[in-house]
Amino acid sequence: MSERTTVCGTPPTAFGAATAVTPRRCLLVCCGTGCRANNAMGLADALEAAARDAGLDVTVSSDAPQIKRTGCNGFCENGPIVKVHPDDISYYKVKPEDAEPIIASLGNEPVARLLYRGEMRQRLTRQIDNPFYAHQQKLALRNIGEIDPLVIADYVAAGGYQALKKALQMSSEQIVEEVIASGLRGRGGAGFPTGIKWQTAAGYPAKPKYVICNGDEGDPGAFMDRSILEGDPHSVIEGLTIAALAIQAEQGFLYIRDEYGLALSNIAAAIAVAEADGYLGDDICGSGRKLRLEIVRGGGAFVCGESTALMASIEGRVGEPRAKYVRSAEKGLWGQPTVLNNVETLANIPYIILNGGAEFAKIGTAGSTGTKVFSLVGKVNRTGLIEVPMGASLRHMIYDIGGGIKRDRPFKAVQTGGPSGGCIPEGQLDLAVDFDTLDAEGAMMGSGGMIVMDEHDCMVEVARYYVKLLAEESCGKCTPCREGLRQMLGILTDITEGRGQVGDIELLERICATMTAASLCALGKTAANPVLSTIRHFRDEYQAHIRDRSCPAGVCPALTVYVIDAEKCTSCGACSRACPVGIVSGEKKVPYSIQSEKCIACGSCRDACRFDAVIAMRKEEVA
Amino acid sequence: MVDENSKATETGSVAEGIHRIILKYPGQRRYSLAILQDVQKEFKYIPEEAIPLIKRHVGVSEGQLYALATFYKALSLTPKGQHIIKLCDGTACHLRGTNNLLGELGRTLGIAADERTVDGKFSLELVNCVGSCALAPVMIVDDDYHGKVTMGQLPQVIEEYRDEQEGGSDE
Amino acid sequence: MGEKLIISIDGKACACEKGEYLLQVARRNGIFIPSLCNHEGLEGLGACRLCIVEVTRGGRTQTVVSCIYPVEAEIEVQTQTNSIVEQRSVIVALLARLAPQSQTIAQMAKFMGADLPRLAERPGGDKCILCGLCVVACEQVGTGAIAKVNRGVEKEIATPYHRPSAECIGCTACANVCPTGQIEYQQDEQGVTIWGRYFDYVACAACGKQFATAAAWEFSALSSASEAASVGVGADAGADAGAGAGAGAGAIGQGRTGVVADADALPAPPLCPECQRQQVAEWLASSSGRYGNVRVAMKELAGE
């Protein structure tokens, strides 16, 4: 039996792709969508200008530092991030004004104030010292933040397209064997064994056949696919091309959310360059094999992330799924054998082909091999994208990597798998996360979203939020899903607004059971998960809303007003400044007060207060 | 036929503009959505006259084209504002107060989600997760991302866009 | 296709062919499975979900929708388990709130004891259960004038902009397939009003019988003419070849609508189907079998 790596903390295998690209000094500036929102492009311009001013012009001297605009480093709340290579210095929250000091510091002491502060308040220079990165094992994300996604030479220097060249020498069966041996399971949500999918499609003789990349990442809280498409588009192209070789397809599609503007332009540019360099087109690397890739923009429909709905959309129809009694591998796009894979799944393929499936299978757990990219967001101190081996525990992710809950509040639940997933409470923090353990919890891996919640989050409101999303996103074709969601939304809205009735919980459970058994597609079948898991773990919260018309978390506006605890109030005035409707007032040395009858229960005052002096109360009590 | 080099196309009729878009694509059903998306981008909505023109090109009935235009939220049948405000209602943003921002924009602009201000300058939408969760709550105005938006910042951000387009109007 | 199988439905052995849909097999053997969105003339839709049953195959049991489930192996089927009965009951209770004016649903609900008073009625709910059978019929028999509009809980069946459609030909196929009688039309001696438009009838030149709306006659005549005239004009031989799968390869899907070769070249005066068959038979007999292809013969008849 091969050794399995289940514990994080083993040395990450793929940091330092930048080292493979070039030995000379580079400033790697994170220019993913998140950092661009914080003027990362302006920062990169400023660094270039500062370098020129310092006489370190890249056009003049080949020793001058290169300034590369890379994809997302994952640590988004602390961006824009600048990494100095090969010195291995990472700067966070960098502004254009910092450009000059950074240039001046090259080869000297780093700019201390821009370094990350550790738990003991010490300054950390290396990326690996940062606890956010220390435990990660980057495979799918191996190149992101290390290369310029628009420069194919970077990708090639980092080992790119070697797997494709190797695959061209392999037979279809050999390629499929490696992927089966790897144990890779779909990273988009369903977790279907990728190798089996490819093998099935390869076995049908009908031509033409198609490969499709599913870039319609719709789970709220998930942005790993966006990150990969922006930051390392060639890895997806390479994975998709290998899939095409395996099943003998000559046409492929990348279906990408229309909202992902940067991802769309980067993948389009990458395809053009790959074609120009012979990695796509009519004669791939001189082998005579062919593949043409086409980009299709999503139309703004979450359901199009479902594979058969996605195919309908490519065909120019509305995104209605179809029953899967006949698998897409046999009859998919336009009735032809089709393989559809998620972005992250494809990004793993080059590693598997190059190193062998057995190497990949050494990582993770027996049933869920490899790594997984999670987006850790919500009430944690360190939020962003993390890649860890399957089998890492929730506690490890949330506390070791995520740095624990903001403001040290107690952990309440983590929501995994988006609208198809469920909530996992405190008692399960040691759960080793993989496809099967999450399924067993009624939670589901989904695309890897992990939304951390604390005591100020209302679980009934969370259920209502997901049901509302699904009610609008459901294609509407089948009765159980459409009508089940319609009615559940009505009931949950009633509950959060104080009109819940005895028997509502049991009715929700009944509707959920029918939806799960009788819906047409995975959207309807898994829609019950957020409702059932919150009922299962937080039934008392539902009952408080129904019986007492009270929201224990202090969130539901119809049931809540805020008051100030006079004994704890220090008269700092933070609450008053935060209040958007101007109903909080007070003066020095006198406790502040809220005009409760005008309170909209937005929670801004409670969030602003550092002394826990703002208390949520049951509206009916404070009449 | 529309002369693509003619200046007239810039101020040309809606039909000419739609023809220009249609002719970029083969006349096959599967390009229906792409054509509609391009029309949406150019005109900020799907003009009624577009439907029969597209039908003639791709051979899809008006009923089916209308179904596409109403199914996909990237497409709209009514014009959007000059500045489109999108509030992300992904889970992370929702938990960090999208509803509050919606309320504040309602107070500042007088519109709810899926509405447009009377002067046509702003329209407001709630959108699904835009994938910038670490910056929650996120507001996108046109192509600009605004992260960690607070209710207090909103009036000023809106004013900047209002002033911006007034300032650049002398061409 | 063709391989004979024996499957068990509620303990009864039923013969069928591989690939047949389970609902058809059951009905043929006198086993009743309720359904709403199923019509003999159209492909199974799988929208209402009332025809769910439990299928056990290779030790695994799953709930499937029998109108679209093809029989591929010798399976065991249960149509009335406690779970199935409960799920059908919930579905009908949901439909009762969606379509409060439908007698069909009300009767079903009463028969099944399916009533969940806590559920809210859909504001403006009538008899429509949003199954979409009418849309499928319109695509196959008609012009695709009506469609499923919006999505999710906003879904409805409508013409573009909720206005009378220029594409509608008044064939009433939609009304005929609707399981709850939602689509109404008013007929008089001269014509029919449906979807907000009035359509004149056309009378057979031979026997005088009014057999279709003029619009429907023109549409079908034009379709046959252009199909006979050129194979593949406007149709997409390549990518859309497979588009026939699914909701039917209607005239629309293959681009016939947009490519009327010559609007003036209408065939000779309208004939009702019986008279048409009669005329073709006579003409074929007189031409001593010169033309093997009926469509080519029709062209000749039309004087081309």
Side-chain angles (χ1 to χ4, degrees), chain C residues 172-251:
Chain C
T172 69
C174 53
N176 290 336
V177 300
C178 175
T180 60
Q182 162 70 19
I183 302 175
E184 289 174 349
Y185 57 93
Q186 291 82 41
Q187 276 176 298
D188 59 31
E189 278 165 14
Q190 313 301 329
V192 60
T193 305
I194 189 173
W195 289 103
R197 263 184 74 191
Y198 179 77
F199 298 90
D200 282 303
Y201 283 139
V202 67
C204 174
C207 68
K209 192 172 66 177
Q210 284 182 327
F211 67 97
T213 63
W217 160 252
E218 276 170 29
F219 174 73
S220 75
L222 283 171
S223 303
S224 341
S226 66
E227 189 183 292
S230 51
V231 172
V233 172
D236 312 310
D240 275 8

Side-chain angles (χ1 to χ4, degrees), chain A residues 34 37 76-77 220-221 223 226 257 294 297-300 313-314 317 319 334 378 383 451 461 465-466 473 580 602, chain B residues 25 29-30 34 37-38 68 71-74 89-91 94-96 100 128-131 133-135 145 148 151:
Chain A
C76 308
E77 248 181 344
F223 55 106
R226 171 171 75 66
R257 265 182 87 181
E294 195 179 310
R297 287 164 289 164
S313 192
I314 294 180
R317 302 168 191 280
W334 292 301
T383 67
I451 306 183
E461 165 59 23
Y465 162 82
Y466 281 120
E473 295 292 342
C602 70
Chain B
Y25 294 93
R29 173 174 205 148
R30 72 165 163 120
Q37 281 170 315
D38 283 359
L68 290 177
F71 180 92
Y72 290 105
K73 291 312 159 201
D89 202 22
T91 317
H94 186 82
L95 295 177
R96 294 231 193 146
N100 294 333
N128 286 347
C129 175
V130 297
C133 314
L135 301 170
Y145 276 68
K148 303 207 176 202
M151 287 161 86

Side-chain angles (χ1 to χ4, degrees), chain A residues 326-469:
Chain A
V326 178
R327 290 213 159 270
S328 299
E330 181 183 348
K331 290 200 165 101
L333 192 59
W334 292 301
Q336 301 297 117
T338 306
V339 153
L340 179 145
N341 284 129
N342 168 263
V343 167
E344 191 185 331
T345 310
L346 292 170
N348 279 292
I349 295 293
Y351 179 94
I352 289 170
I353 297 300
L354 217 44
N355 299 292
E359 260 322 285
F360 185 86
K362 285 185 187 166
I363 310 168
T365 64
S368 307
T369 55
T371 57
K372 178 76 188 83
V373 182
F374 293 99
S375 68
L376 191 59
V377 294
K379 307 291 178 76
V380 276
N381 284 316
R382 291 189 283 260
T383 67
L385 284 181
I386 63 173
E387 188 172 2
V388 293
M390 292 277 200
S393 75
L394 288 170
R395 191 184 297 280
H396 179 65
M397 285 193 256
I398 293 169
Y399 288 94
D400 298 337
I401 302 181
I405 311 298
K406 270 186 145 67
R407 303 248 196 112
D408 271 329
R409 291 221 172 93
F411 169 84
K412 185 165 183 182
V414 58
Q415 210 277 346
T416 74
S420 311
C423 293
I424 301 179
E426 209 233 332
Q428 306 282 59
L429 270 177
D430 291 304
L431 188 77
V433 174
D434 73 15
F435 286 108
D436 305 312
T437 53
L438 286 178
D439 268 351
E441 279 303 307
M444 199 169 154
M445 171 101 51
S447 52
M450 292 252 163
I451 306 183
V452 179
M453 300 172 184
D454 66 13
E455 59 191 356
H456 288 177
D457 292 307
C458 171
M459 304 315 286
V460 185
E461 165 59 23
V462 166
R464 191 200 68 86
Y465 162 82
Y466 281 120
V467 167
K468 177 163 181 282
L469 187 154

Side-chain angles (χ1 to χ4, degrees), chain B residues 67-135:
Chain B
L68 290 177
T70 55
F71 180 92
Y72 290 105
K73 291 312 159 201
L75 308 171
S76 59
L77 296 171
T78 54
K80 305 216 175 178
Q82 275 170 336
H83 297 290
I84 302 174
I85 303 170
K86 297 180 182 173
L87 277 181
C88 176
D89 202 22
T91 317
C93 292
H94 186 82
L95 295 177
R96 294 231 193 146
T98 307
N99 275 345
N100 294 333
L101 295 175
L102 195 60
E104 186 61 30
L105 283 168
R107 282 184 286 275
T108 311
L109 292 170
I111 52 175
D114 291 331
E115 286 180 2
R116 190 174 68 141
T117 54
V118 172
D119 60 8
K121 293 209 165 97
F122 294 99
S123 62
L124 178 56
E125 296 164 31
L126 276 177
V127 294
N128 286 347
C129 175
V130 297
S132 296
C133 314
L135 301 170

Side-chain angles (χ1 to χ4, degrees), chain A residues 168-404:
Chain A
L168 284 165
Q169 307 300 323
M170 295 162 74
S171 71
S172 169
E173 287 78 18
Q174 284 168 330
I175 298 175
V176 165
E177 253 170 55
E178 284 302 339
V179 180
I180 292 181
S182 75
L184 177 67
R185 292 170 67 172
R187 296 292 193 252
F192 191 88
T194 307
I196 305 291
K197 191 184 267 190
W198 290 15
Q199 186 181 54
T200 314
Y204 290 107
K207 292 276 169 67
K209 298 194 205 179
Y210 300 105
V211 287
I212 304 178
C213 166
N214 185 344
D216 196 54
E217 182 173 61
D219 278 1
F223 55 106
M224 50 291 280
D225 292 349
R226 171 171 75 66
S227 208
I228 295 172
L229 288 166
E230 285 177 3
D232 194 10
H234 286 284
S235 69
V236 179
I237 293 171
E238 189 174 5
L240 195 59
T241 309
I242 293 171
L245 294 176
I247 72 163
Q248 271 129 29
E250 293 185 345
Q251 195 171 353
F253 296 89
L254 293 104
Y255 187 94
I256 297 173
R257 265 182 87 181
D258 193 42
E259 296 93 316
Y260 282 175
L262 183 60
L264 278 165
S265 63
N266 283 9
I267 195 86
I271 289 174
V273 163
E275 273 177 353
D277 283 11
Y279 297 110
L280 287 172
D282 288 331
D283 190 17
I284 298 176
C285 300
S287 66
R289 306 289 294 270
K290 299 184 193 346
L291 180 63
R292 292 227 164 264
L293 294 183
E294 195 179 310
I295 296 176
V296 177
R297 287 164 289 164
F302 173 80
V303 69
C304 287
E306 198 276 345
S307 61
T308 59
L310 193 157
M311 292 181 207
S313 192
I314 294 180
E315 292 175 7
R317 302 168 191 280
V318 295
E320 273 183 0
R322 59 163 182 81
K324 285 207 182 146
Y325 304 139
V326 178
R327 290 213 159 270
S328 299
E330 181 183 348
K331 290 200 165 101
L333 192 59
W334 292 301
Q336 301 297 117
T338 306
V339 153
L340 179 145
N341 284 129
N342 168 263
V343 167
E344 191 185 331
T345 310
L346 292 170
N348 279 292
I349 295 293
Y351 179 94
I352 289 170
I353 297 300
L354 217 44
N355 299 292
E359 260 322 285
F360 185 86
K362 285 185 187 166
I363 310 168
T365 64
S368 307
T369 55
T371 57
K372 178 76 188 83
V373 182
F374 293 99
S375 68
L376 191 59
V377 294
K379 307 291 178 76
V380 276
N381 284 316
R382 291 189 283 260
T383 67
L385 284 181
I386 63 173
E387 188 172 2
V388 293
M390 292 277 200
S393 75
L394 288 170
R395 191 184 297 280
H396 179 65
M397 285 193 256
I398 293 169
Y399 288 94
D400 298 337
I401 302 181

